Amino acid sequence: GAGVSQSPSNKVTEKGKDVELRCDPISGHTALYWYRQSLGQGLEFLIYFQGNSAPDKSGLPSDRFSAERTGGSVSTLTIQRTQQEDSAVYLCASSRGGRSYNEQFFGPGTRLTVL
Amino acid sequence: GENVEQHPSTLSVQEGDSAVIKCTYSDSASNYFPWYKQELGKRPQLIIDIRSNVGEKKDQRIAVTLNKTAKHFSLHITETQPEDSAVYFCAASRNNDMRFGAGTRLTVKP
């Protein structure tokens, strides 16, 4: 079946502009995660959605970052007034949820470049 | 929240040697510990995982060990091959709330 998909694959924007990144999880997966990966760096946790529960936003680096998950499926990560330090690959992952031992399946990522 | 530390950040071994990557975690309630491999330009993929009720798990050339008391777990790769070269991430999870270590860049020299 289809895996996790993300769009766009690449995004170049000017400093100060807003951007929206989209994630389509695997059908039926109730858990969805956003991570940021700077060049050669690790997976920085941003936000976690589990079903209808309030999301865990503890990883969002500033109030310029927000995310929504509509209908328990597609998620959008929005970065307002982008800064050059926001340049990174943004990875989305989904898992079955509902129990503890669930593999996360990652999307291909969106490479964001802020000029 | 959970904090996962991973060492070393880089590791270089000769083909055929063993490689060991170690992680510690802070939340004693974490009960699931996966390892992901990320090849250059690709997405991370699960290679092996272990649950908190198990001390060791092996799958061909890779094995993981878990010490719940000390809150640390390790990845062991034996008979390394050049295709093992990648970045490896450990993670700790409780109720699907997962946090990753900073990663280890493994280079296997032919």
Side-chain angles (χ1 to χ4, degrees):
Chain A
V4 178
S5 61
Q6 292 185 245
S7 60
S9 55
N10 281 283
K11 176 71 176 179
V12 181
T13 190
E14 293 181 347
K15 177 182 173 181
K17 296 288 179 88
D18 297 352
V19 295
E20 283 190 354
L21 312 180
R22 176 187 169 105
C23 172
D24 282 85
I26 292 172
S27 179
H29 280 193
T30 61
L32 187 147
Y33 312 77
W34 282 98
Y35 299 93
R36 178 168 69 177
Q37 188 171 35
S38 301
L39 187 61
Q41 300 300 308
L43 298 168
E44 178 187 2
F45 167 78
L46 297 178
I47 189 168
Y48 158 51
F49 296 89
Q50 172 59 66
N52 295 321
S53 302
D56 178 354
K57 303 180 181 180
S58 60
L60 295 178
S62 77
D63 58 8
R64 296 186 296 105
F65 288 73
S66 63
E68 290 184 341
R69 189 176 185 195
T70 55
S73 181
V74 171
S75 178
T76 302
L77 177 69
T78 301
I79 308 174
Q80 296 179 309
R81 305 181 302 282
T82 51
Q83 303 295 313
Q84 289 183 332
E85 58 263 29
D86 299 335
S87 295
V89 174
Y90 289 81
L91 288 164
C92 172
S94 71
S95 70
R96 289 188 188 278
R99 57 187 178 99
S100 294
Y101 318 120
N102 289 302
E103 176 182 357
Q104 288 191 18
F105 294 84
F106 283 83
T110 293
R111 181 175 299 278
L112 175 66
T113 303
V114 182
L115 301 176
Chain B
E2 176 65 273
N3 181 50
V4 179
E5 296 196 354
Q6 183 171 348
H7 301 279
S9 56
T10 60
L11 179 60
S12 181
V13 300
Q14 207 66 38
E15 182 177 1
D17 288 350
S18 295
V20 180
I21 302 170
K22 299 182 179 182
C23 290
T24 61
Y25 61 100
S26 61
D27 187 351
S28 57
S30 288
N31 55 7
Y32 176 57
F33 307 91
W35 288 85
Y36 285 76
K37 176 183 180 182
Q38 186 178 29
E39 296 178 354
L40 189 62
K42 297 189 176 181
R43 70 192 79 180
Q45 291 193 303
L46 180 73
I47 56 170
I48 195 168
D49 56 17
I50 191 168
R51 302 182 183 186
S52 59
N53 58 349
V54 175
E56 183 173 357
K57 183 177 178 180
K58 189 173 182 180
D59 182 4
Q60 299 182 356
R61 295 186 298 106
I62 59 174
V64 290
T65 59
L66 171 65
N67 183 326
K68 285 176 56 179
T69 303
K71 289 190 283 189
H72 67 69
F73 56 114
S74 301
L75 176 72
H76 304 251
I77 306 174
T78 58
E79 301 170 22
T80 53
Q81 301 167 4
E83 52 265 38
D84 294 331
S85 295
V87 178
Y88 291 81
F89 293 98
C90 64
S93 175
R94 175 179 67 161
N95 298 329
N96 287 302
D97 193 355
M98 188 176 297
R99 297 291 186 272
F100 286 84
T104 296
R105 182 174 300 278
L106 174 64
T107 302
V108 180
K109 294 181 282 188

